[in-house]
Amino acid sequence: MNGWFVAHLAATGAMVGFILTIQLLSYPMMAAVPEDGFVAYEEAHQRRVTAVLAVLAPAELVTAVAVAVVASDVPAWLTLGAGAILVGIWVATGAYYAPLHGRLASGFDPDVHRRLVVTNWWRTGAWTLRGAAAIAMVAVVA
């Protein structure tokens, strides 16, 4: 088996774990932060999330591209579909989720927070689907 598939599974699995942690712990706990400390909390959240993503996101992207290049035994729909999901996740992150965090950076807004928590299930599901696709790719090439 090509090592790119294992690396891709590890990188995607790390992103799945990360988004689950954000969805199930970080985002819901925002509502419990006292109002006078929320701006500092959101600033720290953004800084720390960015630091984690600065490592995990490129690892996932590089391994996804490598897998697509070497995936002769994997059905094209699987690698291309997983790649399309990744593109969709990052477009949504930049176009929708980053602006929500931008609005929260000036103070807690219950409506913005609710939209963040409720709609982020889409990204959580999409990354989980990518994790399943990475497992399927490893199974095909094993």
Side-chain angles (χ1 to χ4, degrees):
M1 170 182 352
N2 187 302
W4 283 113
F5 289 95
V6 175
H8 179 249
L9 176 58
T12 301
M15 288 301 295
V16 171
F18 181 73
I19 196 69
L20 284 168
T21 300
I22 294 295
Q23 181 64 24
L24 298 174
L25 297 175
S26 183
Y27 283 175
M29 290 180 1
M30 285 179 168
V33 176
E35 187 175 335
D36 64 344
F38 186 82
V39 170
Y41 175 87
E42 176 65 18
E43 179 183 305
H45 169 83
Q46 288 184 32
R47 187 177 59 254
R48 291 175 181 187
V49 163
T50 300
V52 172
L53 289 177
V55 174
L56 295 183
E60 184 181 31
L61 178 61
V62 167
T63 60
V65 169
V67 161
V69 169
V70 301
S72 61
D73 294 338
V74 177
W77 64 265
L78 184 56
T79 55
L80 294 176
I85 292 169
L86 186 58
V87 169
I89 288 168
W90 286 109
V91 167
T93 297
Y96 183 76
Y97 295 99
L100 290 179
H101 278 286
R103 290 183 59 194
L104 289 173
S106 61
F108 185 77
D109 179 326
D111 293 329
V112 172
H113 177 256
R114 181 188 50 74
R115 277 190 285 161
L116 183 65
V117 172
V118 170
T119 64
N120 194 59
W121 280 110
W122 177 88
R123 279 194 307 182
T124 303
W127 251 309
T128 302
L129 187 57
R130 279 195 43 75
I135 290 168
M137 289 178 209
V138 168
V140 168
V141 298

